[in-house]
Amino acid sequence: MQEILYERELNERQLEVVQSVDGPILVLAGAGSGKTKSIIYRCAYLLKEKRVAPWNILVVTFTNKAARELQERLEKLLEFPTRSLWVGTFHSVCSRILRQESANLPFHSNFSIYDDDNQLSVLKKIYKEQNIDKAKVPMGRVQNGISRYKNRLMLPEDLQARKDELDDKEGYFSKFLKIYTLYQQQLLLNQALDFDDILLYTAKLLQTNEPVRAKYQKLFQYVMIDEYQDTNQAQFQIVYQIAREHHRVCVVGDDDQAIYSFRGASIRNILEFEKDYPGVRSIRLEQNYRSTTAILELANAIIKQNRMRHPKELWSELGQGEKPRLCSYKDENEEASRIAEEINILRAKGTSLNQIAVLYRTNAQSRVFEYALMQARIPYSIVGSLYFYQRKEIKDFLGYLAALSNSSDNEALLRIINEPPRGIGTTSVNHLISYAGKNRISLYQAMHSADEVPGLQTAARTKISAFSAKLESWRKLVHSVPVLDLVKTVLEELDLVALYNASKDPKELARAENLVEFVTSVSEFAERFTSENERAPLLADYLPFVALQTGLDQVRESMESVRLMTLHNCKGLEFDSVFIAGLEEELLPHRMSMGTREEIEEERRLFYVGVTRARKRLFISYAKFRRLYDSFYFTKPSLFIQELEPYLFAGEDIDPGIQAAPRRVPKIKHKIREDQKFWRIGQTVYHKEYGKGMILNVDGEGSDATLTISFAAGKLAKIKGSFLQTEPD
DNA sequence: CTCCAGATTATTTTT
DNA sequence: TAATCTGGAG
C-alpha cells in the first residue's frame, strides 16, 4: 500500500489541520485555500494512520455532490473503499438518523419529505378551512415564520408557552400560531416532514433522549463540518449534542462567505465556537491556490468594506494575471449578448465551456442569458434550480411513488387521484375527504372502503374502487421489487407516455420525453446505488434521495457547457473565467436586502463569493436600463462598484460616470426623498436621459409610483417616480 | 366532470 | 411578464 506524503502535499497550516485530531479545531479558511483538500487528508489520516473505523467518522458537507466528490477523492487517495464513512449534508445524515430512530419519534420510518410546494398546498388548505384572508396574513410570511421558528427549535407548543410575553397588537401572532399548530398537525397526519423538520426533530431527539444521544456520541467519534458559517441553530445543536462529551470536532468555515442568514444561519456559531468547546485550536488558512493576484486584490478590496468580520487578506503565488474587467451596457439584453460574444471569444481561444460561469443574483435573470446563449449557439446548463424535478409530469409521478410508499400521505394522493383524469372529480374527492376526516382514517383507507362513503355517485364509486385496487396492486411490489422495475411497471400501466404522445401540443410531447428521461435518471441512481451497496435499491432507498436532491447535485459533467447560476449556488465551485452580471443598486444589493447594514454586508459577501470563484479571468457588468416584469427601470451602478478604486479594473469599458463617482458612499437606510411628490396624468416631467415627457398613467404614489410616460423624443416607457424630476436640470 | 379563457397576483437567495 | 386560479360553458 502506498504511503501518503502529507508533508509534501500540504502546507504547514493544512498539515496542522490534518494532524490535530484530538481536540476541537476551528479552521478559518479563506476562499480557495484548500479546505476541501485538508478535510480529505484529515479523513485519510484518521483512517490510515490512526486506524479509526470509517463508520466512526462523520463529515457534513454543503451539497450531496460535494459529499460524493469527497468520497471519491478519498478512495483514490487511500486506494481502498470507504463506503461506511458517514458523509453527507445535514439533511441527508439527519434523515438517515430519523429513519433509524423512528421508534422514538411520532412518525414512521417511511415518512414523506415535503418541499416548498407541498408546504404551500398544506397552508392553502388550512387558509381555506379556517377562512383566513391571505391578504391580511400573507402566506409567504407564514411559511417563512414557520421555518424561522423551526430553525430555532421552536415548535408550536414551545411558542404557546411563551405567548404571554409577546405583545400581539393586531392579533397577528395568535393567527400565525394557530396556522403553525394546524400545519404541524397536518404534516404529522400525513406522516410528512418538511426540510426544517428534518433538522429540528434530529436536534430535539439528541437533546432529550439520553440513550439515543449516547449511541450517536459513541458512533461519531470524529466529526467534521464544512461551511460552518452557514449553519443555523438547529444544525449547531445537532453537532453540539454529538460532540459535547468528546469534543473531537473540526469545523471549517469563512465568515466572509456567510450568505445564508435568511435561512437562519448565524455567524454566532463560528464566532463563538471557542465558547462552546473550550480549548479550541484555531488555524487560519490564508494562502489562496486558485486565483491570480489581480483577482484577489479586487476580492480583498470588496470585503474590506465590511465591518463585521475577522480581518484577513487573501494572497497567492499564481502571478499578477489579467485585471478584472468592468463593463456597462445599455440594457440587460445587450449585457447578455455581449457576454455571449465574450464567451465565444474565449471558446475560440480554446477555453473549455465547462470552465466558464455566468453568475447573477436572482433566478429570473437566467432567462436573458439562456436566450442570448441560444442565439449564439453556446451550450449551457443551469446549475441549481431544480427544473427537472419541478416539472408537473415529474412531480405527478413522484406523487405516485410517495403515495405508494407512505399511505398516510394525503397530499401525494390528492395530487394523483385524478391525474391523469379518471373521472374522480372535486365533488367525489370532497366526499372522500369528509368521510376520512369523520372516521379519522387516511384518504387512502377511505378510498378502499368507497362503498361506505355517503354521497358518491355510482360511477364515481366504481372508479374510485378501481383506482384503489390498482394502487393496492402496486403497493404489493414496493418492498420486494427494485425501484427501477416498480417505476417501469407503474409508468407502463398508467400508459402516461402514450397519453402525452397522443397530444398535438408540443408541451405535452415534451412531457412524454421528460418521463422517459425520468426513468433514465432512476436507472442511473440504481446503478450507482447497486455498486455502492451491493444490492438493488428499493423505493424506500430512492425517495429520500430524490427529496433531498438539489439542483447543485446533478450537473452533467460530461456535457461541455457554460454554467449559469445564482451567486448563492456558486459557493464552493471554481472556474477559469467568471462573469458576474447585474451589478446594480436594488439588484445587487437586492432591493429586499438593503434595509440594514447587516443585510448590505451579506449582499457584499455574496459579491465577494462570486469574485473568488474566478481563477484567471473575471468580467463584471451592469446594465443602465433594466426591464423587470412589466416595467422599466433606469439603474444605478451598485454601491459595491462605486466604493472600489478604479485602478482595480482594466479600464477599457468603464463608464466615465463611475470613475467620477464619490468614494464615500451614501447612507444606507432608505434615503429621505425630497420627491414624495404627487403625480397626475398630463403633468410634465423630466428625465436625466430621456428629457421632457408627459405622464400618461399613474400607478402608486410618490417615488414608488410606476408612471407611464410619453417622452418628447418619441419614446414610451414605464418608469419609477424616483427617476423623474418635476423641473428641468 | 372537463376544459378553456380571462382574471389575478406575485415578483431574493435554498435545504 | 408569466404563471396560476377561478368561473362558466359544454
Side-chain angles (χ1 to χ4, degrees), chain A residues 626-651:
Chain A
R626 190 171 289 272
R627 207 186 155 126
L628 207 59
Y629 303 104
D630 59 345
S631 39
F632 300 95
Y633 295 86
F634 286 92
T635 65
K636 283 197 291 187
S638 168
L639 164 70
F640 304 151
I641 301 263
Q642 293 180 50
E643 68 196 9
L644 295 171
E645 303 268 10
Y647 80 86
L648 292 162
F649 297 102

PDB file of all heavy atoms in Angstrom, chain A residues 626-651:
ATOM      1  N   ARG A 626     -32.999  48.448 -17.163  1.00  0.00           N
ATOM      2  CA  ARG A 626     -33.414  47.059 -16.974  1.00  0.00           C
ATOM      3  C   ARG A 626     -34.918  46.949 -16.974  1.00  0.00           C
ATOM      4  O   ARG A 626     -35.635  47.787 -16.448  1.00  0.00           O
ATOM      5  CB  ARG A 626     -32.831  46.507 -15.669  1.00  0.00           C
ATOM      6  CG  ARG A 626     -33.010  45.007 -15.498  1.00  0.00           C
ATOM      7  CD  ARG A 626     -32.225  44.481 -14.303  1.00  0.00           C
ATOM      8  NE  ARG A 626     -30.798  44.482 -14.529  1.00  0.00           N
ATOM      9  CZ  ARG A 626     -30.131  43.479 -15.093  1.00  0.00           C
ATOM     10  NH1 ARG A 626     -30.770  42.391 -15.482  1.00  0.00           N
ATOM     11  NH2 ARG A 626     -28.837  43.561 -15.259  1.00  0.00           N
ATOM     12  N   ARG A 627     -35.380  45.882 -17.545  1.00  0.00           N
ATOM     13  CA  ARG A 627     -36.797  45.627 -17.658  1.00  0.00           C
ATOM     14  C   ARG A 627     -37.139  44.569 -16.632  1.00  0.00           C
ATOM     15  O   ARG A 627     -36.501  43.526 -16.583  1.00  0.00           O
ATOM     16  CB  ARG A 627     -36.990  45.035 -19.051  1.00  0.00           C
ATOM     17  CG  ARG A 627     -38.275  45.237 -19.665  1.00  0.00           C
ATOM     18  CD  ARG A 627     -38.245  44.435 -20.941  1.00  0.00           C
ATOM     19  NE  ARG A 627     -39.623  44.139 -21.215  1.00  0.00           N
ATOM     20  CZ  ARG A 627     -40.202  44.417 -22.360  1.00  0.00           C
ATOM     21  NH1 ARG A 627     -39.495  44.898 -23.358  1.00  0.00           N
ATOM     22  NH2 ARG A 627     -41.460  44.172 -22.533  1.00  0.00           N
ATOM     23  N   LEU A 628     -38.135  44.859 -15.813  1.00  0.00           N
ATOM     24  CA  LEU A 628     -38.466  43.898 -14.777  1.00  0.00           C
ATOM     25  C   LEU A 628     -39.981  43.742 -14.764  1.00  0.00           C
ATOM     26  O   LEU A 628     -40.703  44.706 -14.596  1.00  0.00           O
ATOM     27  CB  LEU A 628     -37.961  44.422 -13.437  1.00  0.00           C
ATOM     28  CG  LEU A 628     -37.645  43.373 -12.405  1.00  0.00           C
ATOM     29  CD1 LEU A 628     -36.586  42.426 -12.917  1.00  0.00           C
ATOM     30  CD2 LEU A 628     -37.177  44.048 -11.130  1.00  0.00           C
ATOM     31  N   TYR A 629     -40.462  42.510 -14.901  1.00  0.00           N
ATOM     32  CA  TYR A 629     -41.889  42.278 -15.020  1.00  0.00           C
ATOM     33  C   TYR A 629     -42.424  43.177 -16.114  1.00  0.00           C
ATOM     34  O   TYR A 629     -41.906  43.182 -17.198  1.00  0.00           O
ATOM     35  CB  TYR A 629     -42.591  42.442 -13.679  1.00  0.00           C
ATOM     36  CG  TYR A 629     -41.970  41.514 -12.703  1.00  0.00           C
ATOM     37  CD1 TYR A 629     -41.098  41.965 -11.735  1.00  0.00           C
ATOM     38  CD2 TYR A 629     -42.175  40.143 -12.830  1.00  0.00           C
ATOM     39  CE1 TYR A 629     -40.482  41.081 -10.873  1.00  0.00           C
ATOM     40  CE2 TYR A 629     -41.546  39.267 -11.979  1.00  0.00           C
ATOM     41  CZ  TYR A 629     -40.711  39.739 -11.001  1.00  0.00           C
ATOM     42  OH  TYR A 629     -40.089  38.880 -10.171  1.00  0.00           O
ATOM     43  N   ASP A 630     -43.403  44.035 -15.779  1.00  0.00           N
ATOM     44  CA  ASP A 630     -43.943  44.807 -16.891  1.00  0.00           C
ATOM     45  C   ASP A 630     -43.436  46.235 -16.921  1.00  0.00           C
ATOM     46  O   ASP A 630     -43.956  47.061 -17.635  1.00  0.00           O
ATOM     47  CB  ASP A 630     -45.465  44.775 -16.833  1.00  0.00           C
ATOM     48  CG  ASP A 630     -45.959  45.354 -15.519  1.00  0.00           C
ATOM     49  OD1 ASP A 630     -45.126  45.485 -14.602  1.00  0.00           O
ATOM     50  OD2 ASP A 630     -47.139  45.665 -15.425  1.00  0.00           O
ATOM     51  N   SER A 631     -42.423  46.560 -16.110  1.00  0.00           N
ATOM     52  CA  SER A 631     -41.984  47.952 -16.158  1.00  0.00           C
ATOM     53  C   SER A 631     -40.491  48.085 -16.444  1.00  0.00           C
ATOM     54  O   SER A 631     -39.758  47.105 -16.446  1.00  0.00           O
ATOM     55  CB  SER A 631     -42.353  48.664 -14.853  1.00  0.00           C
ATOM     56  OG  SER A 631     -42.161  47.811 -13.761  1.00  0.00           O
ATOM     57  N   PHE A 632     -40.089  49.313 -16.665  1.00  0.00           N
ATOM     58  CA  PHE A 632     -38.689  49.585 -16.984  1.00  0.00           C
ATOM     59  C   PHE A 632     -38.052  50.354 -15.848  1.00  0.00           C
ATOM     60  O   PHE A 632     -38.712  51.154 -15.208  1.00  0.00           O
ATOM     61  CB  PHE A 632     -38.589  50.444 -18.238  1.00  0.00           C
ATOM     62  CG  PHE A 632     -39.193  49.799 -19.421  1.00  0.00           C
ATOM     63  CD1 PHE A 632     -40.506  50.094 -19.774  1.00  0.00           C
ATOM     64  CD2 PHE A 632     -38.463  48.913 -20.186  1.00  0.00           C
ATOM     65  CE1 PHE A 632     -41.072  49.498 -20.875  1.00  0.00           C
ATOM     66  CE2 PHE A 632     -39.027  48.315 -21.291  1.00  0.00           C
ATOM     67  CZ  PHE A 632     -40.336  48.608 -21.639  1.00  0.00           C
ATOM     68  N   TYR A 633     -36.792  50.123 -15.649  1.00  0.00           N
ATOM     69  CA  TYR A 633     -36.104  50.855 -14.600  1.00  0.00           C
ATOM     70  C   TYR A 633     -34.785  51.387 -15.140  1.00  0.00           C
ATOM     71  O   TYR A 633     -34.062  50.671 -15.827  1.00  0.00           O
ATOM     72  CB  TYR A 633     -35.781  49.934 -13.431  1.00  0.00           C
ATOM     73  CG  TYR A 633     -37.007  49.422 -12.738  1.00  0.00           C
ATOM     74  CD1 TYR A 633     -37.651  48.284 -13.193  1.00  0.00           C
ATOM     75  CD2 TYR A 633     -37.520  50.102 -11.636  1.00  0.00           C
ATOM     76  CE1 TYR A 633     -38.795  47.824 -12.559  1.00  0.00           C
ATOM     77  CE2 TYR A 633     -38.649  49.650 -10.994  1.00  0.00           C
ATOM     78  CZ  TYR A 633     -39.288  48.509 -11.465  1.00  0.00           C
ATOM     79  OH  TYR A 633     -40.414  48.059 -10.847  1.00  0.00           O
ATOM     80  N   PHE A 634     -34.498  52.627 -14.799  1.00  0.00           N
ATOM     81  CA  PHE A 634     -33.146  53.110 -15.015  1.00  0.00           C
ATOM     82  C   PHE A 634     -32.378  52.720 -13.779  1.00  0.00           C
ATOM     83  O   PHE A 634     -32.875  52.858 -12.670  1.00  0.00           O
ATOM     84  CB  PHE A 634     -33.135  54.619 -15.211  1.00  0.00           C
ATOM     85  CG  PHE A 634     -33.665  54.998 -16.537  1.00  0.00           C
ATOM     86  CD1 PHE A 634     -35.016  55.277 -16.693  1.00  0.00           C
ATOM     87  CD2 PHE A 634     -32.833  55.014 -17.639  1.00  0.00           C
ATOM     88  CE1 PHE A 634     -35.525  55.583 -17.933  1.00  0.00           C
ATOM     89  CE2 PHE A 634     -33.337  55.324 -18.884  1.00  0.00           C
ATOM     90  CZ  PHE A 634     -34.690  55.606 -19.039  1.00  0.00           C
ATOM     91  N   THR A 635     -31.178  52.221 -13.973  1.00  0.00           N
ATOM     92  CA  THR A 635     -30.471  51.694 -12.828  1.00  0.00           C
ATOM     93  C   THR A 635     -29.286  52.577 -12.469  1.00  0.00           C
ATOM     94  O   THR A 635     -28.869  53.416 -13.263  1.00  0.00           O
ATOM     95  CB  THR A 635     -29.927  50.301 -13.144  1.00  0.00           C
ATOM     96  OG1 THR A 635     -28.960  50.441 -14.177  1.00  0.00           O
ATOM     97  CG2 THR A 635     -31.033  49.386 -13.592  1.00  0.00           C
ATOM     98  N   LYS A 636     -28.781  52.329 -11.281  1.00  0.00           N
ATOM     99  CA  LYS A 636     -27.539  52.973 -10.865  1.00  0.00           C
ATOM    100  C   LYS A 636     -26.534  51.862 -10.627  1.00  0.00           C
ATOM    101  O   LYS A 636     -26.904  50.790 -10.153  1.00  0.00           O
ATOM    102  CB  LYS A 636     -27.753  53.733  -9.558  1.00  0.00           C
ATOM    103  CG  LYS A 636     -28.456  55.040  -9.722  1.00  0.00           C
ATOM    104  CD  LYS A 636     -28.247  55.903  -8.486  1.00  0.00           C
ATOM    105  CE  LYS A 636     -28.968  55.332  -7.287  1.00  0.00           C
ATOM    106  NZ  LYS A 636     -28.964  56.174  -6.108  1.00  0.00           N
ATOM    107  N   PRO A 637     -25.262  52.129 -10.934  1.00  0.00           N
ATOM    108  CA  PRO A 637     -24.262  51.094 -10.649  1.00  0.00           C
ATOM    109  C   PRO A 637     -24.266  50.765  -9.161  1.00  0.00           C
ATOM    110  O   PRO A 637     -24.493  51.632  -8.331  1.00  0.00           O
ATOM    111  CB  PRO A 637     -22.935  51.731 -11.040  1.00  0.00           C
ATOM    112  CG  PRO A 637     -23.255  52.980 -11.746  1.00  0.00           C
ATOM    113  CD  PRO A 637     -24.686  53.308 -11.579  1.00  0.00           C
ATOM    114  N   SER A 638     -24.017  49.520  -8.865  1.00  0.00           N
ATOM    115  CA  SER A 638     -24.059  49.052  -7.483  1.00  0.00           C
ATOM    116  C   SER A 638     -23.107  49.820  -6.581  1.00  0.00           C
ATOM    117  O   SER A 638     -22.010  50.196  -6.978  1.00  0.00           O
ATOM    118  CB  SER A 638     -23.699  47.579  -7.445  1.00  0.00           C
ATOM    119  OG  SER A 638     -23.458  47.171  -6.126  1.00  0.00           O
ATOM    120  N   LEU A 639     -23.557  50.001  -5.371  1.00  0.00           N
ATOM    121  CA  LEU A 639     -22.710  50.519  -4.307  1.00  0.00           C
ATOM    122  C   LEU A 639     -21.368  49.785  -4.266  1.00  0.00           C
ATOM    123  O   LEU A 639     -20.311  50.375  -4.073  1.00  0.00           O
ATOM    124  CB  LEU A 639     -23.449  50.317  -2.975  1.00  0.00           C
ATOM    125  CG  LEU A 639     -22.698  50.407  -1.661  1.00  0.00           C
ATOM    126  CD1 LEU A 639     -22.285  51.843  -1.415  1.00  0.00           C
ATOM    127  CD2 LEU A 639     -23.566  49.899  -0.522  1.00  0.00           C
ATOM    128  N   PHE A 640     -21.440  48.489  -4.503  1.00  0.00           N
ATOM    129  CA  PHE A 640     -20.240  47.658  -4.394  1.00  0.00           C
ATOM    130  C   PHE A 640     -19.209  47.965  -5.466  1.00  0.00           C
ATOM    131  O   PHE A 640     -18.045  47.634  -5.340  1.00  0.00           O
ATOM    132  CB  PHE A 640     -20.603  46.171  -4.456  1.00  0.00           C
ATOM    133  CG  PHE A 640     -21.604  45.760  -3.417  1.00  0.00           C
ATOM    134  CD1 PHE A 640     -22.474  44.708  -3.651  1.00  0.00           C
ATOM    135  CD2 PHE A 640     -21.685  46.438  -2.215  1.00  0.00           C
ATOM    136  CE1 PHE A 640     -23.406  44.339  -2.692  1.00  0.00           C
ATOM    137  CE2 PHE A 640     -22.624  46.084  -1.243  1.00  0.00           C
ATOM    138  CZ  PHE A 640     -23.480  45.036  -1.491  1.00  0.00           C
ATOM    139  N   ILE A 641     -19.656  48.632  -6.547  1.00  0.00           N
ATOM    140  CA  ILE A 641     -18.729  49.067  -7.581  1.00  0.00           C
ATOM    141  C   ILE A 641     -18.243  50.470  -7.254  1.00  0.00           C
ATOM    142  O   ILE A 641     -17.066  50.776  -7.345  1.00  0.00           O
ATOM    143  CB  ILE A 641     -19.447  49.123  -8.943  1.00  0.00           C
ATOM    144  CG1 ILE A 641     -19.994  47.767  -9.304  1.00  0.00           C
ATOM    145  CG2 ILE A 641     -18.539  49.688 -10.009  1.00  0.00           C
ATOM    146  CD1 ILE A 641     -19.153  46.976 -10.190  1.00  0.00           C
ATOM    147  N   GLN A 642     -19.194  51.293  -6.856  1.00  0.00           N
ATOM    148  CA  GLN A 642     -18.852  52.693  -6.575  1.00  0.00           C
ATOM    149  C   GLN A 642     -17.779  52.810  -5.503  1.00  0.00           C
ATOM    150  O   GLN A 642     -16.961  53.711  -5.541  1.00  0.00           O
ATOM    151  CB  GLN A 642     -20.092  53.447  -6.110  1.00  0.00           C
ATOM    152  CG  GLN A 642     -21.138  53.599  -7.179  1.00  0.00           C
ATOM    153  CD  GLN A 642     -22.328  54.364  -6.642  1.00  0.00           C
ATOM    154  OE1 GLN A 642     -22.175  55.427  -6.045  1.00  0.00           O
ATOM    155  NE2 GLN A 642     -23.509  53.816  -6.830  1.00  0.00           N
ATOM    156  N   GLU A 643     -17.819  51.920  -4.538  1.00  0.00           N
ATOM    157  CA  GLU A 643     -16.890  52.052  -3.415  1.00  0.00           C
ATOM    158  C   GLU A 643     -15.489  51.528  -3.745  1.00  0.00           C
ATOM    159  O   GLU A 643     -14.604  51.594  -2.913  1.00  0.00           O
ATOM    160  CB  GLU A 643     -17.463  51.343  -2.180  1.00  0.00           C
ATOM    161  CG  GLU A 643     -17.537  49.836  -2.321  1.00  0.00           C
ATOM    162  CD  GLU A 643     -18.451  49.168  -1.278  1.00  0.00           C
ATOM    163  OE1 GLU A 643     -19.155  49.887  -0.552  1.00  0.00           O
ATOM    164  OE2 GLU A 643     -18.446  47.941  -1.212  1.00  0.00           O
ATOM    165  N   LEU A 644     -15.291  50.991  -4.953  1.00  0.00           N
ATOM    166  CA  LEU A 644     -13.975  50.440  -5.314  1.00  0.00           C
ATOM    167  C   LEU A 644     -13.132  51.450  -6.073  1.00  0.00           C
ATOM    168  O   LEU A 644     -13.654  52.258  -6.842  1.00  0.00           O
ATOM    169  CB  LEU A 644     -14.156  49.194  -6.180  1.00  0.00           C
ATOM    170  CG  LEU A 644     -14.821  48.011  -5.497  1.00  0.00           C
ATOM    171  CD1 LEU A 644     -15.127  46.934  -6.526  1.00  0.00           C
ATOM    172  CD2 LEU A 644     -13.951  47.458  -4.383  1.00  0.00           C
ATOM    173  N   GLU A 645     -11.816  51.384  -5.874  1.00  0.00           N
ATOM    174  CA  GLU A 645     -10.895  52.239  -6.623  1.00  0.00           C
ATOM    175  C   GLU A 645     -10.843  51.756  -8.072  1.00  0.00           C
ATOM    176  O   GLU A 645     -10.698  50.556  -8.301  1.00  0.00           O
ATOM    177  CB  GLU A 645      -9.480  52.129  -6.038  1.00  0.00           C
ATOM    178  CG  GLU A 645      -9.402  52.468  -4.576  1.00  0.00           C
ATOM    179  CD  GLU A 645      -9.077  53.935  -4.366  1.00  0.00           C
ATOM    180  OE1 GLU A 645      -9.117  54.693  -5.359  1.00  0.00           O
ATOM    181  OE2 GLU A 645      -8.789  54.312  -3.220  1.00  0.00           O
ATOM    182  N   PRO A 646     -10.935  52.673  -9.037  1.00  0.00           N
ATOM    183  CA  PRO A 646     -10.964  52.264 -10.442  1.00  0.00           C
ATOM    184  C   PRO A 646      -9.717  51.492 -10.880  1.00  0.00           C
ATOM    185  O   PRO A 646      -9.789  50.682 -11.796  1.00  0.00           O
ATOM    186  CB  PRO A 646     -11.056  53.593 -11.193  1.00  0.00           C
ATOM    187  CG  PRO A 646     -11.545  54.582 -10.200  1.00  0.00           C
ATOM    188  CD  PRO A 646     -11.127  54.111  -8.856  1.00  0.00           C
ATOM    189  N   TYR A 647      -8.577  51.720 -10.203  1.00  0.00           N
ATOM    190  CA  TYR A 647      -7.350  51.064 -10.682  1.00  0.00           C
ATOM    191  C   TYR A 647      -7.432  49.541 -10.590  1.00  0.00           C
ATOM    192  O   TYR A 647      -6.634  48.820 -11.185  1.00  0.00           O
ATOM    193  CB  TYR A 647      -6.123  51.587  -9.922  1.00  0.00           C
ATOM    194  CG  TYR A 647      -5.938  50.966  -8.560  1.00  0.00           C
ATOM    195  CD1 TYR A 647      -5.239  49.748  -8.431  1.00  0.00           C
ATOM    196  CD2 TYR A 647      -6.456  51.559  -7.408  1.00  0.00           C
ATOM    197  CE1 TYR A 647      -5.086  49.156  -7.183  1.00  0.00           C
ATOM    198  CE2 TYR A 647      -6.304  50.979  -6.179  1.00  0.00           C
ATOM    199  CZ  TYR A 647      -5.625  49.775  -6.061  1.00  0.00           C
ATOM    200  OH  TYR A 647      -5.475  49.190  -4.839  1.00  0.00           O
ATOM    201  N   LEU A 648      -8.384  49.035  -9.810  1.00  0.00           N
ATOM    202  CA  LEU A 648      -8.504  47.592  -9.661  1.00  0.00           C
ATOM    203  C   LEU A 648      -8.979  46.911 -10.930  1.00  0.00           C
ATOM    204  O   LEU A 648      -8.827  45.714 -11.115  1.00  0.00           O
ATOM    205  CB  LEU A 648      -9.470  47.266  -8.521  1.00  0.00           C
ATOM    206  CG  LEU A 648      -8.979  47.636  -7.120  1.00  0.00           C
ATOM    207  CD1 LEU A 648     -10.127  47.701  -6.140  1.00  0.00           C
ATOM    208  CD2 LEU A 648      -7.922  46.631  -6.653  1.00  0.00           C
ATOM    209  N   PHE A 649      -9.588  47.712 -11.801  1.00  0.00           N
ATOM    210  CA  PHE A 649     -10.143  47.148 -13.033  1.00  0.00           C
ATOM    211  C   PHE A 649      -9.305  47.513 -14.246  1.00  0.00           C
ATOM    212  O   PHE A 649      -8.639  48.536 -14.257  1.00  0.00           O
ATOM    213  CB  PHE A 649     -11.554  47.691 -13.271  1.00  0.00           C
ATOM    214  CG  PHE A 649     -12.529  47.307 -12.222  1.00  0.00           C
ATOM    215  CD1 PHE A 649     -12.899  48.213 -11.235  1.00  0.00           C
ATOM    216  CD2 PHE A 649     -13.085  46.038 -12.211  1.00  0.00           C
ATOM    217  CE1 PHE A 649     -13.811  47.860 -10.256  1.00  0.00           C
ATOM    218  CE2 PHE A 649     -14.004  45.678 -11.238  1.00  0.00           C
ATOM    219  CZ  PHE A 649     -14.365  46.592 -10.260  1.00  0.00           C
ATOM    220  N   ALA A 650      -9.405  46.675 -15.275  1.00  0.00           N
ATOM    221  CA  ALA A 650      -8.851  47.058 -16.564  1.00  0.00           C
ATOM    222  C   ALA A 650      -9.773  48.136 -17.102  1.00  0.00           C
ATOM    223  O   ALA A 650     -10.990  47.975 -17.094  1.00  0.00           O
ATOM    224  CB  ALA A 650      -8.831  45.860 -17.492  1.00  0.00           C
ATOM    225  N   GLY A 651      -9.198  49.256 -17.555  1.00  0.00           N
ATOM    226  CA  GLY A 651     -10.003  50.437 -17.793  1.00  0.00           C
ATOM    227  C   GLY A 651     -11.006  50.448 -18.912  1.00  0.00           C
ATOM    228  O   GLY A 651     -12.014  51.107 -18.819  1.00  0.00           O
TER     229      GLY A 651
END
